[in-house]
Amino acid sequence: MNTSFNWIKDLVPGLDCSAQEYMDAMTLSGTKGEGFVTLDKNLDKIVVGEVESMEKHPDSDHLWICQVNVGAEKIQIVTGAQNLSVGDRVPTVLDGGKVAGGHDGSPLPEDGIEIKAGKLRGVESFGMMCGIEELGSSREVFPDAPEDGIYVFPKDADVKPGDDAIHALGLDDTIHEYEVTSNRVDCYSVLGIAREAAATFRLPFNPPAVPETGADASEKSADHIKVTIEADDLCTRYIGRVVKDIKIGESPEWMKKRLRASGIRPINNLVDITNYVMTEYGQPMHAYDLSTVAGNEIVVRRAKDGETFVTLDGQERKLDSDVLMICDGEKEIGIAGIMGGQNSMITSDVKTVLFEAATFNGPNIRKSAKRIGIRTDASGIFEKGLDANNAMDAMNRACALVEELGCGTVLNGAVDVHGELPQPVRIPFEPERTNDFLGTDISREDMLSYFKPLEIVYDEAKNELICPTFRQDLKSFADISEEVARFFGYDKIPTTLPKSGATAGKLSFKMRVEGVTRDVVEFAGYSEAMCYSFESPKVFDKLLLPEDAKERQVIKISNPLGEDFSVMRTLTLNGMLNSLALNYNRRNKNVKLYELGSVYLPKALPLTELPDEREKLTLGFYGEGDFFTLKGVVEEVLSRAGLKLNPEYDPNSGLPYMHPGRQANIIYDGKVIGFLGEVHPEVCDNYDLNTKAYVAVIDMLDVVEKATFARRFNGIAKFPAVTRDISMLVPKNILAGQIEAMLAQRGGKILENYSLFDIYEGAQVKEGFKSIAYTLSFRDKEKTLADNDVNAAMKKILNGLESLGIELRS
């Protein structure tokens, strides 16, 4: 958003500060200034000069010797301009003055160009007459300026020799640029910025007085136009008003100056009025030639799929049913909120005009503009979501300008079609709570003084603040507190602790478990990877999943970047294997990666509720290490998270993407919480990973559910331990985990620990068996163990092992 500083000063009487001071103060109060441009920078000693005589240069065919009246004196200037005539009034730089740049529009020098008296082919010249480019502007802003020549003031311009030419052209101004957030739609207007300036500098806000128009007219707008809104979900209000006896002409200079300062090229009085009101009120308007509106009827409806429409710029646009159209009784005449149609454009022959001020659904305007491929100043404002109440104020202002400029006769009343209009929001006024919230000590009266220029009204009877509907961002106590904070001054608020009582924060339990997990795996040499949650459906084929696998039941993305990112992942393996393969093919050795990321499991398809979002710890590596190396890291993670039981492993996991016989489900307390093992060689080939790779996946929600950080101190043992070794012949189908579970169950409280120290399979062991040996350590915390105590425990253990088909080796 850009505004003219002079325009702001007109709306805020008494505003007297430099451009830099203004920008700094506005930024501190919440209207962030991005910068400013001083239009008259490097312009000095430039006055209005009147050409009183011209004669040919005696030594040149293209130079003129001009006598120029500059008010206090007449000076002689030699010029090569060919567009001058006697009596023309032009911007004239006096001896020692400065201009901003060259006539060819070349980049402006930092300090401008100084003009000095001199001689041109032997004839003295005491100044220079300027083209518009030499004044730092362009023909885009001054369309009446010649393409190659001196700028000549219009004949009816209110200027005389010696006047300040920079002021006459409106270049004695500063243009401020603001970064306006989307929730402050009111600040996409000069009035909105001026209101903020008035509140910032504690000055009165003086908006333009808008007189009643059309009250004496013998005809009503409703006699000439009918309005119907069919798509009321996309159009909240449509106001139409008719103006007859149109007289197209030039706009007054004050309006041109303000439009130029806003970067808008003046065209004619009718177009300039709509542009002026859009800039001033932030409400785009449009004017239709009523003679082109069939049946004098306006219908606001959706377009039909496949329709085409030629806009004002002459381009044919393809439409669909999500595009809102302004139509007459027979045809489309405009794309709502974006651009009018060529079939209803204003021409110089127009006699009767229909003014339109409407409000539309902001997101729909944005989407329509993107689909159609056109974005205008109007669509950029409409897409923010305008206040429907502001539309009538803008219409009244436009009609008042029509009468002020004498360019038509405004008919009585307007046709106003709308649904329920927004009502002011009422928020309880709680100054004590606001002070507690901000850590300030601001009086009730001071707070109310901040609200007055913002047009927030205090209802003393109900102790409520009534927020105007153009402030769509004010909805709650926190919003009101923010208004107090920014106008009291963020820089004045002292640093204090919140008064809620909770002055110290901490990580959630889940985040603490995640932190411990990261510590363990990073200590084990794993580096964190970040993988996409969006994947391709082709992933399931690469992972050898059958067609009926539940993992193929995925959530499809409605607006994917492409097929490779079209579904939400149900497995984390694809991202991990891609990362390992990338490292392998770049010749990195011994790569270890981990990821803490989510999978998205739909409860039903199509979606009727949010999916089950499960966080997974995924470990992956290749190089040094094997299945048991990975198993050790998994067990350390579970142990550090406080899981008291030892995990069990089921080799019958049957996962198609894992190597048969080298995989296992991780079972804790009877529940499968993950899996680990070697990746299937065919899967590795699918990922161009030509080495053995190992992965483990753990459901972190299951871990968090069982985790604890409660730790109990156990003192150093006072009594000695007793150790026994047992060597067994074990059937090959019996796992070490089953043996250890039996040891823990039968050993009782005195079994302190056990450790496997030998596994042997060979000729000395009978077929179908393996030899396994354990060291058992027994200790009692209350006494020294006797042989009878240990023998009784050993007998229970051996009986349990025999029930598994295990034989004790002698």
Side-chain angles (χ1 to χ4, degrees), residues 115-247:
I115 303 301
K116 295 182 178 180
K119 290 184 178 182
L120 285 177
R121 294 202 176 185
V123 177
E124 289 186 315
S125 181
F126 297 92
M128 184 180 79
M129 293 177 281
C130 301
I132 204 64
E133 291 82 3
E134 289 158 327
L135 300 176
S137 191
S138 69
R139 294 183 66 247
E140 287 294 317
V141 180
F142 288 85
D144 56 334
E147 185 172 356
D148 183 21
I150 302 301
Y151 179 79
V152 179
F153 285 99
K155 296 296 183 185
D156 58 351
D158 185 18
V159 294
K160 62 183 184 299
D163 285 352
D164 185 343
I166 301 307
H167 175 73
L169 290 168
L171 296 176
D172 55 338
D173 201 353
T174 301
I175 308 304
H176 282 271
E177 180 182 359
Y178 311 87
E179 180 186 321
V180 181
T181 54
S182 296
N183 66 329
R184 290 302 308 272
V185 185
D186 57 300
C187 286
Y188 285 93
S189 67
V190 173
L191 289 181
I193 296 294
R195 190 182 291 112
E196 289 289 304
T200 299
F201 290 93
R202 311 289 179 84
L203 294 171
F205 173 50
N206 187 28
V210 182
E212 184 180 3
T213 56
D216 300 330
S218 59
E219 299 175 83
K220 297 181 178 179
S221 294
D223 297 333
H224 292 266
I225 193 69
K226 175 186 176 183
V227 175
T228 304
I229 300 178
E230 294 182 0
D232 55 4
D233 58 325
L234 301 182
C235 178
T236 53
R237 188 175 196 178
Y238 190 99
I239 303 171
R241 195 164 186 186
V242 177
V243 178
K244 297 181 67 176
D245 306 324
I246 294 296
K247 301 178 185 67

Side-chain angles (χ1 to χ4, degrees), residues 615-690:
E615 186 179 43
K616 304 282 186 177
L617 168 65
T618 306
L619 304 172
F621 79 90
Y622 65 81
E624 293 180 1
D626 57 15
F627 177 95
F628 298 101
T629 308
L630 185 60
K631 176 173 171 285
V633 176
V634 168
E635 291 180 351
E636 182 66 14
V637 167
L638 300 181
S639 174
R640 287 286 303 278
L643 275 68
K644 297 179 180 179
L645 303 177
N646 291 325
E648 300 175 21
Y649 300 91
D650 179 9
N652 300 313
S653 48
L655 301 173
Y657 37 80
M658 303 300 288
H659 194 300
R662 300 179 189 176
Q663 58 173 293
N665 278 336
I666 305 168
I667 301 173
Y668 184 84
D669 198 15
K671 182 178 181 181
V672 177
I673 64 171
F675 64 88
L676 79 164
E678 182 182 333
V679 180
H680 197 293
E682 188 175 339
V683 173
C684 287
D685 288 343
N686 291 340
Y687 283 89
D688 197 19
L689 182 58
N690 299 320

Side-chain angles (χ1 to χ4, degrees), residues 54-163:
M54 299 176 63
E55 61 180 76
K56 281 286 187 179
H57 192 291
D59 194 25
S60 173
D61 292 335
H62 71 279
L63 294 178
W64 294 90
I65 302 172
C66 302
Q67 303 302 318
V68 182
N69 180 0
V70 292
E73 59 179 332
K74 290 182 183 179
I75 62 175
Q76 179 173 286
I77 296 177
V78 179
T79 180
Q82 303 301 311
N83 66 315
L84 290 178
S85 302
V86 173
D88 286 345
R89 280 166 287 184
V90 299
T92 305
V93 190
L94 303 179
D95 181 21
K98 279 186 177 182
V99 293
H103 182 71
D104 59 357
S106 56
L108 307 183
E110 180 64 27
D111 299 321
I113 299 173
E114 186 176 356
I115 303 301
K116 295 182 178 180
K119 290 184 178 182
L120 285 177
R121 294 202 176 185
V123 177
E124 289 186 315
S125 181
F126 297 92
M128 184 180 79
M129 293 177 281
C130 301
I132 204 64
E133 291 82 3
E134 289 158 327
L135 300 176
S137 191
S138 69
R139 294 183 66 247
E140 287 294 317
V141 180
F142 288 85
D144 56 334
E147 185 172 356
D148 183 21
I150 302 301
Y151 179 79
V152 179
F153 285 99
K155 296 296 183 185
D156 58 351
D158 185 18
V159 294
K160 62 183 184 299
D163 285 352

